[in-house]
Amino acid sequence: MIADALFYLFSVAAVVSGLFVVTRKNPVSSVLFLVVTFFSLSGLFVLLDAHFIAAVQVIVYAGAIMVLFLFVVMLLNLGHFEGEQTDFRGALGRFAAATVSVTLLALVARAVLGLEELGGQGVVAESLAGAPDPVGAALEARGPVGAVAGPLFDEYLIPFELTSLLLLVAIVGAIVLARRREP
Amino acid sequence: MEMIPALGSALAGLLQEAAHGAAGAAGQGAAHGAGQAAGDHGGSFTPILPGLILLIPLIGAAVNGLGAFLWRDRRLVPSWVGPLAVGGAFAVVLANFLRMLETGAAGPAVVTLWSWLSVGGLEVGVDLLFDRLSMVMMLVVTGVSTVIHVYSAGYMRDDPGISRFFAYLNLFVFFMLVLVMGGNFPVTFVGWEGVGLCSYLLIGFWYENAEYSSAGKKAFIVNRIGDFGFLVAMFLLFAMFGTLDYVPIIESAADELAYGGITVTAVTLLLLLACTGKSAQIPLYTWLPDAMAGPTPVSALIHAATMVTAGVYLVARSGVLFAMAPMSQAAVATVGAGTALFAATIALKQYDIKKVLAYSTISQLGYMFLAVGVGAYTAGIFHLTTHAFFKALLFLGAGAVIHSVEHAFHEQGHHGDPNDMRSHGGLMSVMPVTGTTMWAATLAIAGVFPFAGFFSKDEIIWYAGSYGYPILWGVSLVAAVLTAAYMARLMFMTFHGENRTDEAAGQGASSALHEAPAVMTVPLVILAVLSVVGGWIQIPEALPLPHVSWLHDWLHPAVEPALAVAEEHGVEAAHAAPLGGGEAVWAGVSLVLAVGGIVAGAAWVRSKEILVPERAADDRGLARVLNRKWYVDELYERVFVGPLLALSRACWRVVDDRIIDGAVNGLGYAGRALGWVGSRLQSGRIGTYVLVFTLGVLAVLGGLVL
Amino acid sequence: MSVPPEYLPLSLVVSATLFTIGVGGVLLRRNAIIIFLCIELMLNAVNLTFVAFARQLGVDGQVFVFFVMAVAAAEAAVGLAIIISVFRHYEMVDVERFDLLKW
Amino acid sequence: MESFYSSHWILSVLLALPLLGAVACQMAPERKAGQVALWVTVLEFALSVPLFFTFETGTAAFQSFGAVPWIEAWGIQYAVGVDGISLLLVLLTTLTMPLAVASSFRYVDRHQKAYYTLLLLLQTGMLGVFTALDLFLFYVFWEVMLIPMYFLIGIWGGERRIYSAIKFFLFTAVGSLLMLVAIAGLVYLYYQQTGAVSFAYRDLVQLQIARGTQFWLFGAFALAFAIKVPLFPLHTWLPDAHVEAPTAGSVILAGVLLKTGIYGFLRFGLPFFSHAATHPAVVGTFLTLGLVGILYAAWVAAVQPDVKSLIAYTSIAHLGFVVLGIFALNPQGMEGGILQMVNHGLSTGALFLLVGMIYERRHTRLIEEFGGLARVMPFFAFSFVVVALSSIGLPATNGFVGEFLILLGTFRSHPVVATLAATGVIFAAYYMLPMVQRVVLNPLEKEENEELEDLDARERAIIVPLLALILLIGVYPNPFLDRTSASAGDLIRRVEERSQAAPLGAATGRAELAFDGVAVLPDDGDGGEGPGMTGPVSVETGE
């Protein structure tokens, strides 16, 4: 019962802070609101039996990436030029963005809501017919971390190694690009 | 003179063989002529050296033509070769005429020089036709030409282009002979357009003057409108008869065609269109007055005596066809009478002496068309012959006047128009020979008793009346009076009264006036004699004079088929003029009218004082309309030439540039436009790319979900 | 402490909303940083969907979240490096003003 | 010597010689290239003249015929031959070339070698088009003819040469691509009916094509040839091409290239698709387009400021007459049309040469720049007037003979069209005489024209033969007409026969219509003769 309430709370928080991320004039407040979104998301992960993911979310995302963003925003003092012209695109741009977003939302909703009300033709409906609660079983067997770590290191070993390579490339790239060139 | 025929006969012999060789396959050749004894009486006629008649003028033209390039302006050769070439031709024609006279042969003798076109069913040879009609025409053409060539030697003496002039004149005589001697329609057509070409070259002889060149151009184009009619008539004839030769057509016309049928009427109307073009009748006469821009001998030869009579000859030649189409005959007669009256009215108020004579020619040609229109072919040819004499004389006389007035103006350095009669006056004392000879011609053209005009014009008026055309008969009488009037006006303005040359060009000018040299006056005298004697070859028996109908009997065989058709279909002379009275009575009436006309004309001229062009007040009212030629030129300009030019420009600018090229270039621009649209997408702004990217996603998602 | 499987559609709706907000942000904003944030937001929405489905379809979903996070991290690093170098050169990061890519 | 002219070797030599000449030009030094080209073209003309005299006028069969297999797999052979229709055109080409080359000596001052090589290539292309009796070979020469002319206009042309060259190229290329498709269609039909693949003319001409497909195939061929003629709506490339082309280019373009369109109709259009070609609607359309072409071009020509574009429009009018003659489908119209093609080549070629000569002196083509040239250039004035008059069909010149026959022929089948076309004679005077007056007559006001010197020996040597031919054909055209009569008559007879016989249904299957079973052509009896072929019919045994 308490879980349902928490779920709704986190969901609303995530959506509202998401909106504020986009609408805030000052980039710093946008970053902070994004952090709030990440926290509410990790809450949702917990409710969805993804405890390790929730933890990693908080540590990696909120902790590392958002700090990096904040660091960059603060360092380059990007917020001050708001006065020049509105950050939002022209009327045509806004209109286009709005229609696109609404259509996207409608399509996804159509797919998702296809579950019950419309007789379940939705994409999601069939997949539900699968195993009752695979995550629950894995949790008992290996605990929150083990449940995820297991498949990570046997089925997904190659992608795992590739990801590490990706990270290496990103680091080298970031250094090369951001290096201050002597004039 | 002898040297040329000897040389000629050798060449002719050669030509004969060439003709045989070339036409061997077709089996034509002189034999064709011999076998063809169509005429009812008199045996077949074997022409003497037929090719030579054409060859000599052609050689003359070639020699003079070369002269124009080689010895350019020296006068000796052209002034001898020119007249001699035509004289030679006249000699050969005379020889043939004498042979035809003594053998009494009448039958059309066709000589084929070589096969011109033989394609499928069409067989057209270069045929020369010798019969009574073409003989008369040849005599008139070569005779008058010889006289005029001699005159031109004097007239063009100090003109640098004399070689070129005689080249064109000889070429003209060549083409006129081709026209007259042609044995089938295409060969006649070659002559027809050939004379058109020479008239174009000769009108625009002094090409340095823009108006003269334009006058030449106008003559050629208007003639071409007539030639269009001739062409289509030929196609119709070929469609009807399967051949274009005169002899078979004339023979089979009566039975093969329906009397008054559509096709024969169409052919004859088209031929009429051709004749109005060439003989300057309404509506295609506007080129003749402008053609006065050419040297005066040209006006005399081409625009008075020979070329303009081609139309009358063609109608006479295809008389059978016209006889089969009464509607067309009526049209010819009406056009003739109408033109006679219309042109006479304009001539009354013209100040340029040559313009008066030009309109007089148009008027007299109207008479000839009236004659052949009513079916009196012999009368038409008779008037044609006499008219050739006195009109040529009038033009040559006018030329002499202009020559001396120009000389006077030149002395004073005055740049007035020597043709303008208002600066002439009292020239009889200075130029007696020219004066008297022109008086002879004036009396002849007016139709005063002993002179040629009296007989020929009177006969036309009589036939018009007796063949049942009362209105045209009346019109011709009125026109006769007007003719006498304007001719008298011309004579009294030019030769009588006090001289105005000093007034026009300054003191001492009149002293420079002089009588024309012998080489010009001799031809005048010859023509004057002919103007008097010419009429006596055809004296109606109604008159209290010895009855002579030589020309009528001479032409009868050639005209007989047409008359036969006319009789067959109930057309006969009523032997009484519309208002009653015999031929003699009306001859008297027309004589009185002629003399009255002259007196009236003289009185009219003397009545008011004639002012020199510079001070002359502008005419008003009817006089102005007549002087401006009833504004017909302006009408044609606004109705035909203007719109045609506008249409041409529209076709070029709009249809070609805008529509067709527009479409073609449009394709090119369409390609570029598509390219531009594509480039708008590559705007370089990330926002656009993301937007398009998202649209792509939506499309895929939509495809999946919907 | 977990939610019954019936909540799957709700979590999917939430994730869709977040994703749409992300897309809207990318299209609307001119500031490169904000665009980056929105991209991060979109990635997280996807993570949420993975996790939500992992409940029925197996833990693999959650494994994928890791990969997504790795990619997000790498992308953030390189992106920010680009933004810094761009900022240093143009003194501004307004996406609209860069059109060197124009054909 | 006799056998040389009756075998296909004469034609092969005529085709090969210009190519050798082109090579020789490349090797010769820049200044001498012109001389080499002149000698080659004069030799070519000398070689071709006996062809005229050894030609048997009686038969419509292809003479100097020869077929050598070229690409066995597709039944393509090097087949060349000449008959009444193409003989005069071949001679016109070999006559025009030396004159064109000679007229460019003073005109072309840069890249002479390339210029003369292109001219010689062009000659091979043109001769090939007129003599090829294999559709593939015909198409190859058709394209070979196009490229040199494109470069001639593009490089040595006037100010807007690039635009005109491209326009010329695109117009013709579009047409010929369609034609290629049609040729492929034909060969496929042939394969469908007989099982064998062959591009040979004598095989494809006997092909039985269903009426429906005939219209499509004829349409494709007709478009390609109509553009070349040029027929009324597709003509706008001609004035631009002429105005911008160098003198030699214009002479050849007007003299010969335009005739390839008409030749195409005669050789391929009418015999292959007789039913479609004689269908009243099709004949009506072509006659109307021809008639409109005559009147429209005459009107537009009258207001052209540029002499060359005026003459270009007159060519459209002349060829409008030829189209009328061709589609009248009777001996007068056909022979008149073929002769008029030669006449147009001579008259308009001479006009362009003369205009080229005054262009070399005054470097302008605007009519009002001239005036009163008769005083300073009498010989030029004389020849200009004679040629201009022959162009508007003055009797006793060649123009009249052609026009008279065409109009007579057209009158027999379509009187109204012929009468309207006859008014073209009036409009001819309407556009030509004012131009002649403004160029040659009228007072000489401009002082630049004062010291123009008359035509020199070379220029007179170019013009005098053309003047002679103009007058000769005008006065004694029989030798030329006799040579075309047999082939023209045969073409008309065959077209009439086949237009009734064309099968109604779709392209009939291969089974019942075996190749030798086609008994439609009466003279096909002995199997060996073929439609007027002398040489062996079977494909394998070449010469």
Side-chain angles (χ1 to χ4, degrees):
Chain A
M1 207 350 247
I2 182 76
D4 306 344
L6 270 179
F7 189 89
Y8 282 108
L9 175 71
F10 285 133
S11 308
V12 166
V15 168
V16 166
S17 55
L19 267 175
F20 280 141
V21 163
V22 174
T23 48
R24 281 301 96 196
K25 283 271 176 308
N26 183 341
V28 171
S29 54
S30 297
V31 171
L32 292 179
F33 274 111
L34 191 58
V35 168
V36 167
T37 315
F38 286 161
F39 280 120
S40 42
L41 271 178
S42 70
L44 284 174
F45 287 156
V46 165
L47 289 174
L48 292 167
D49 297 342
H51 308 289
F52 177 64
I53 300 284
V56 165
Q57 166 89 351
V58 168
I59 301 159
V60 169
Y61 252 113
I65 299 176
M66 277 312 115
V67 164
L68 180 63
F69 266 95
L70 208 60
F71 197 65
V72 165
V73 168
M74 292 297 180
L75 179 67
L76 304 177
N77 192 0
L78 291 174
H80 69 282
F81 63 78
E82 286 316 315
E84 255 165 40
Q85 44 357 17
T86 62
D87 190 16
F88 294 96
R89 299 274 177 67
L92 184 67
R94 274 205 295 282
F95 170 74
T99 41
V100 164
S101 319
V102 165
T103 350
L104 184 66
L105 192 62
L107 282 173
V108 171
R110 168 85 178 55
V112 164
L113 295 183
L115 294 175
E116 292 93 354
E117 287 74 18
L118 305 176
Q121 315 90 340
V123 166
V124 175
E126 310 86 16
S127 54
L128 274 184
D133 185 1
V135 171
L139 279 180
E140 283 78 31
R142 297 198 190 137
V145 176
V148 173
L152 190 62
F153 286 100
D154 27 1
E155 291 163 49
Y156 294 98
L157 187 61
I158 305 153
F160 182 77
E161 295 308 331
L162 284 176
T163 325
S164 59
L165 188 66
L166 174 71
L167 288 172
L168 174 65
V169 164
I171 294 162
V172 168
I175 294 164
V176 163
L177 279 170
R179 185 162 48 79
R180 180 179 295 283
R181 284 174 189 69
E182 281 65 29
Chain B
M1 281 294 263
E2 320 69 32
M3 184 267 293
I4 292 184
L7 166 76
S9 56
L11 275 174
L14 176 75
L15 200 67
Q16 291 287 34
E17 274 63 41
H20 281 299
Q28 299 254 344
H32 171 84
Q36 199 67 32
D40 48 7
H41 57 74
S44 68
F45 169 76
T46 49
I48 312 161
L49 311 168
L52 197 59
I53 302 172
L54 295 178
L55 194 62
I56 304 174
L58 194 59
I59 296 171
V63 167
N64 284 327
L66 271 177
F69 289 108
L70 302 183
W71 50 76
R72 291 183 80 88
D73 54 3
R74 277 205 299 289
R75 295 191 315 282
L76 181 63
V77 171
S79 46
W80 276 102
V81 169
L84 281 180
V86 180
F90 180 60
V92 179
V93 163
L94 210 58
N96 279 298
F97 174 65
L98 294 179
R99 167 178 282 197
M100 193 178 246
L101 205 59
E102 36 142 335
T103 60
V110 178
V111 172
T112 303
L113 297 179
W114 67 80
S115 152
W116 185 24
L117 297 174
S118 63
V119 181
L122 176 73
E123 280 300 327
V124 176
V126 179
D127 301 345
L128 302 181
L129 175 66
F130 286 83
D131 76 344
R132 293 294 182 82
L133 176 60
S134 66
M135 191 51 74
V136 168
M137 290 304 289
M138 284 198 286
L139 276 175
V140 168
V141 167
T142 47
V144 174
S145 310
T146 316
V147 171
I148 290 174
H149 271 70
V150 170
Y151 176 92
S152 315
Y155 187 84
M156 299 296 279
R157 197 159 31 75
D158 38 32
D159 186 306
I162 188 164
S163 302
R164 189 160 58 91
F165 178 76
F166 273 108
Y168 291 158
L169 223 54
N170 283 357
L171 193 64
F172 166 78
V173 171
F174 165 75
F175 275 122
M176 191 64 200
L177 286 173
V178 164
L179 190 155
V180 166
M181 294 164 66
N184 52 44
F185 279 95
V187 171
T188 309
F189 187 67
V190 169
W192 194 268
E193 281 221 13
V195 287
L197 165 71
C198 295
S199 121
Y200 162 72
L201 294 172
L202 283 163
I203 296 170
F205 178 68
W206 290 309
Y207 55 80
E208 297 272 356
N209 180 325
E211 286 120 33
Y212 292 175
S213 310
S214 318
K217 175 185 71 177
K218 177 175 178 178
F220 195 94
I221 293 180
V222 173
N223 276 339
R224 260 278 157 119
I225 298 173
D227 301 347
F228 154 72
F230 200 118
L231 266 176
V232 181
M234 279 198 280
F235 302 148
L236 261 173
L237 280 169
F238 182 69
M240 287 196 291
F241 291 95
T243 171
L244 287 170
D245 298 340
Y246 286 131
V247 176
I249 286 182
I250 290 170
E251 269 161 22
S252 59
D255 33 51
E256 258 184 46
L257 296 175
Y259 181 76
I262 303 158
T263 43
V264 79
T265 314
V267 168
T268 40
L269 284 179
L270 285 167
L271 286 178
L272 172 61
L273 174 67
C275 298
T276 53
K278 194 60 73 182
S279 301
Q281 296 294 289
I282 293 179
L284 299 175
Y285 73 93
T286 50
W287 63 274
L288 189 56
D290 296 352
M292 292 306 119
T296 313
V298 170
S299 314
L301 176 63
I302 297 180
H303 304 128
T306 46
M307 184 176 105
V308 284
T309 59
V312 182
Y313 163 73
L314 185 66
V315 173
R317 171 62 71 199
S318 42
V320 173
L321 297 175
F322 280 89
M324 294 292 288
M327 216 255 286
S328 311
Q329 272 198 318
V332 170
T334 326
V335 163
T339 316
L341 183 65
F342 179 74
T345 55
I346 299 176
L348 283 172
K349 278 305 284 182
Q350 292 302 329
Y351 291 111
D352 178 330
I353 187 168
K354 287 178 74 174
K355 287 274 173 29
V356 174
L357 294 177
Y359 282 105
S360 153
T361 305
I362 297 175
S363 173
Q364 297 306 313
L365 284 166
Y367 273 99
M368 298 177 213
F369 269 79
L370 173 61
V372 285
V374 296
Y377 303 102
T378 41
I381 299 297
F382 181 34
H383 191 57
L384 180 149
T385 321
T386 55
H387 176 266
F389 298 144
F390 52 71
K391 186 48 65 58
L393 171 54
L394 282 171
F395 266 109
L396 296 186
V401 166
I402 294 164
H403 206 192
S404 68
V405 169
E406 199 171 15
H407 183 62
F409 279 5
H410 196 62
E411 290 291 319
Q412 301 299 317
H414 172 64
H415 294 299
D417 173 10
N419 296 18
D420 198 319
M421 293 192 287
R422 285 170 296 193
S423 48
H424 298 172
L427 295 181
M428 185 54 105
S429 52
V430 176
M431 307 169 74
V433 177
T434 315
T436 39
T437 47
M438 280 188 80
W439 259 113
T442 308
L443 293 176
I445 195 170
V448 174
F449 168 66
F451 294 86
F454 169 76
F455 297 101
S456 59
K457 193 189 293 185
D458 184 59
E459 203 174 316
I460 294 174
I461 296 173
W462 169 252
Y463 279 119
S466 64
Y467 272 149
Y469 291 85
I471 309 143
L472 303 187
W473 173 73
V475 163
S476 62
L477 276 177
V478 169
V481 176
L482 294 181
T483 313
Y486 65 65
M487 282 315 292
R489 169 176 174 272
L490 180 142
M491 291 308 286
F492 278 90
M493 275 181 93
T494 313
F495 285 98
H496 302 288
E498 21 75 44
N499 181 279
R500 293 179 296 278
T501 321
D502 287 341
E503 209 182 317
Q507 276 316 351
S510 58
S511 58
L513 294 172
H514 56 77
E515 177 53 288
V519 77
M520 288 162 75
T521 47
V522 165
L524 294 183
V525 169
I526 296 169
L527 287 173
V529 166
L530 285 173
S531 302
V532 175
V533 170
W536 297 348
I537 56 173
Q538 185 75 14
I539 302 170
E541 77 261 37
L543 293 182
L545 294 166
H547 169 52
V548 175
S549 65
W550 176 78
L551 185 63
H552 182 76
D553 309 338
W554 173 263
L555 282 178
H556 187 68
V559 171
E560 187 266 339
L563 295 181
V565 164
E567 252 116 50
E568 204 183 309
H569 293 279
V571 173
E572 76 294 325
H575 296 300
L579 304 178
E583 194 171 351
V585 170
W586 283 102
V589 167
S590 65
L591 175 60
V592 166
L593 287 180
V595 171
I598 292 175
V599 167
W604 177 38
V605 165
R606 287 179 182 286
S607 63
K608 51 187 173 34
E609 203 247 352
I610 302 162
L611 297 173
V612 179
E614 285 73 20
R615 284 202 301 282
D618 220 352
D619 303 312
R620 270 174 322 288
L622 181 61
R624 180 180 174 74
V625 168
L626 290 184
N627 185 268
R628 293 286 189 284
K629 317 184 282 291
W630 299 88
Y631 298 104
V632 170
D633 277 327
E634 292 74 11
L635 174 73
Y636 280 0
E637 179 66 29
R638 191 158 304 116
V639 168
F640 297 113
V641 180
L644 186 56
L645 275 175
L647 175 68
S648 308
R649 256 178 231 101
C651 278
W652 178 26
R653 281 276 172 252
V654 172
V655 175
D656 236 31
D657 282 1
R658 217 151 286 123
I659 296 175
I660 300 179
D661 264 0
V664 170
N665 297 343
L667 281 177
Y669 292 129
R672 284 161 64 97
L674 270 175
W676 178 80
V677 165
S679 70
R680 287 269 56 70
L681 280 177
Q682 318 298 331
S683 63
R685 292 204 311 278
I686 301 163
T688 334
Y689 299 148
V690 165
L691 184 63
V692 170
F693 178 82
T694 325
L695 286 175
V697 165
L698 283 187
V700 169
L701 200 59
L704 277 174
V705 165
L706 298 179
Chain C
M1 178 69 114
S2 65
V3 186
E6 288 70 21
Y7 270 75
L8 175 61
L10 182 60
S11 48
L12 290 181
V13 165
V14 167
S15 132
T17 325
L18 282 177
F19 186 81
T20 315
I21 292 168
V23 165
V26 165
L27 294 177
L28 278 172
R29 295 304 296 259
R30 299 165 80 102
N31 185 332
I33 298 288
I34 306 295
I35 291 175
F36 253 78
L37 292 181
C38 297
I39 294 173
E40 293 303 326
L41 186 61
M42 287 157 67
L43 288 168
N44 275 293
V46 168
N47 287 352
L48 177 61
T49 324
F50 272 123
V51 165
F53 274 114
R55 292 276 300 280
Q56 271 75 35
L57 303 175
V59 179
D60 310 17
Q62 296 188 358
V63 167
F64 239 82
V65 168
F66 276 98
F67 295 140
V68 168
M69 283 191 186
V71 164
E75 175 252 333
V78 171
L80 286 175
I82 293 173
I83 286 176
I84 290 165
S85 59
V86 158
F87 183 78
R88 186 177 298 129
H89 187 270
Y90 284 97
E91 294 301 327
M92 58 87 184
V93 278
D94 176 352
V95 166
E96 287 297 306
R97 300 263 291 280
F98 302 124
D99 55 6
L100 298 180
L101 285 173
K102 183 189 279 294
W103 165 68
Chain D
M1 175 55 176
E2 204 46 49
S3 69
F4 173 68
Y5 276 98
S6 61
S7 76
H8 72 84
W9 283 109
I10 167 68
L11 295 180
S12 311
V13 162
L14 284 182
L15 288 173
L17 191 58
L19 296 183
L20 298 178
V23 168
C25 268
Q26 284 302 356
M27 288 190 286
E30 197 73 33
R31 282 183 338 289
K32 282 283 167 281
Q35 304 297 351
V36 168
L38 185 62
W39 282 116
V40 168
T41 45
V42 165
L43 178 63
E44 178 98 3
F45 177 64
L47 269 174
S48 67
V49 167
L51 204 59
F52 180 81
F53 295 104
T54 59
F55 186 82
E56 301 149 41
T57 57
T59 154
F62 284 102
Q63 296 171 36
S64 317
F65 174 81
V68 171
W70 177 14
I71 306 172
E72 302 271 339
W74 295 333
I76 296 172
Q77 19 169 234
Y78 165 80
V80 283
V82 161
D83 77 340
I85 297 169
S86 49
L87 173 73
L88 293 184
L89 295 174
V90 164
L91 289 163
L92 179 66
T93 317
T94 51
L95 171 72
T96 319
M97 281 313 288
L99 303 180
V101 166
S103 73
S104 335
F105 283 169
R106 208 157 75 152
Y107 190 95
V108 174
D109 43 21
R110 50 192 170 74
H111 317 304
Q112 280 96 333
K113 276 210 290 196
Y115 180 83
Y116 290 109
T117 317
L118 285 172
L119 275 184
L120 289 167
L121 279 178
L122 190 56
Q123 176 161 25
T124 309
M126 291 187 287
L127 287 175
V129 162
F130 290 133
T131 50
L133 289 180
D134 178 294
L135 264 73
F136 188 84
L137 190 66
F138 169 77
Y139 189 78
V140 164
F141 280 122
W142 181 271
E143 292 303 331
V144 159
M145 181 174 66
L146 188 61
I147 296 141
M149 181 48 85
Y150 169 74
F151 284 118
L152 280 172
I153 299 174
I155 300 168
W156 289 275
E159 304 75 25
R160 282 172 60 234
R161 56 182 180 277
I162 306 296
Y163 168 75
S164 316
I166 292 174
K167 190 171 181 180
F168 161 75
F169 191 85
L170 285 182
F171 259 91
T172 331
V174 163
S176 41
L177 288 180
L178 269 177
M179 183 167 71
L180 184 60
V181 168
I183 292 176
L186 261 178
V187 171
Y188 173 69
L189 272 178
Y190 182 77
Y191 170 75
Q192 217 185 19
Q193 286 186 8
T194 59
V197 176
S198 155
F199 279 80
Y201 178 78
R202 60 173 180 274
D203 300 340
L204 296 177
V205 87
Q206 293 166 355
L207 200 53
Q208 286 305 318
I209 307 165
R211 294 190 176 195
T213 35
Q214 263 197 27
F215 277 104
W216 289 108
L217 293 177
F218 177 72
F221 270 97
L223 180 72
F225 298 141
I227 288 175
K228 224 32 176 150
V229 162
L231 217 49
F232 166 63
L234 311 164
H235 66 281
T236 47
W237 61 274
L238 188 68
D240 293 328
H242 269 308
V243 165
E244 304 307 333
T247 318
S250 283
V251 170
I252 296 165
L253 187 62
V256 181
L257 282 185
L258 301 188
K259 313 310 169 359
T260 51
I262 299 282
Y263 171 76
F265 274 114
L266 288 177
R267 179 69 75 216
F268 302 100
L270 292 177
F272 277 36
F273 319 103
S274 315
H275 172 74
T278 52
H279 189 279
V282 168
V283 171
T285 340
F286 276 99
L287 288 184
T288 342
L289 286 182
L291 176 64
V292 164
I294 295 170
L295 299 180
Y296 172 82
W299 294 333
V300 173
V303 284
Q304 291 300 323
D306 179 327
V307 181
K308 270 187 140 181
S309 72
L310 186 146
I311 300 173
Y313 276 109
T314 59
S315 310
I316 299 171
H318 282 289
L319 286 159
F321 271 110
V322 175
V323 167
L324 247 56
I326 303 294
F327 278 91
L329 280 182
N330 52 37
Q332 285 82 10
M334 195 65 81
E335 286 179 43
I338 298 171
L339 185 66
Q340 187 65 349
M341 281 201 279
V342 176
N343 297 341
H344 172 264
L346 297 174
S347 311
T348 313
L351 268 179
F352 274 119
L353 286 168
L354 288 167
V355 166
M357 290 165 191
I358 45 177
Y359 179 80
E360 278 160 22
R361 288 169 168 71
R362 279 293 317 285
H363 292 294
T364 171
R365 290 183 299 273
L366 296 178
I367 297 179
E368 73 261 7
E369 284 296 315
F370 299 103
L373 294 187
R375 183 151 59 81
V376 280
M377 300 168 77
F379 188 83
F380 169 84
F382 168 74
S383 31
F384 193 76
V385 168
V386 168
V387 172
L389 292 176
S390 86
S391 157
I392 60 176
L394 190 80
T397 65
N398 58 356
F400 172 72
V401 173
E403 248 166 49
F404 179 71
L405 286 175
I406 287 174
L407 287 173
L408 191 89
T410 319
F411 194 88
R412 283 178 57 191
S413 48
H414 301 79
V416 173
V417 172
T419 318
L420 288 176
T423 58
V425 159
I426 307 169
F427 295 120
Y430 160 67
Y431 63 66
M432 191 58 86
L433 293 181
M435 185 269 280
V436 166
Q437 177 187 346
R438 281 200 288 271
V439 168
V440 176
L441 307 174
N442 279 351
L444 191 81
E445 283 123 358
K446 299 196 172 43
E447 45 313 312
E448 304 95 333
N449 294 340
E450 288 293 341
E451 73 281 346
L452 292 181
E453 82 279 4
D454 204 346
L455 305 187
D456 59 23
R458 173 179 65 89
E459 287 163 337
R460 289 180 193 221
I462 294 174
I463 285 301
V464 165
L466 288 177
L467 289 181
L469 267 175
I470 283 174
L471 293 178
L472 173 71
I473 295 180
V475 168
Y476 189 56
N478 271 349
F480 299 90
L481 288 172
D482 297 346
R483 274 161 179 72
T484 59
S485 53
S487 302
D490 175 73
L491 175 64
I492 295 167
R493 183 183 50 72
R494 180 183 304 138
V495 164
E496 243 115 46
E497 266 165 34
R498 287 184 51 127
S499 61
Q500 281 81 23
L504 281 165
T508 48
R510 207 151 53 86
E512 71 282 13
L513 250 186
F515 171 57
D516 40 30
V518 172
V520 164
L521 300 179
D523 64 8
D524 203 6
D526 54 25
E529 180 55 37
M533 300 299 154
T534 46
V537 169
S538 52
V539 169
E540 311 72 33
T541 59
E543 211 57 35

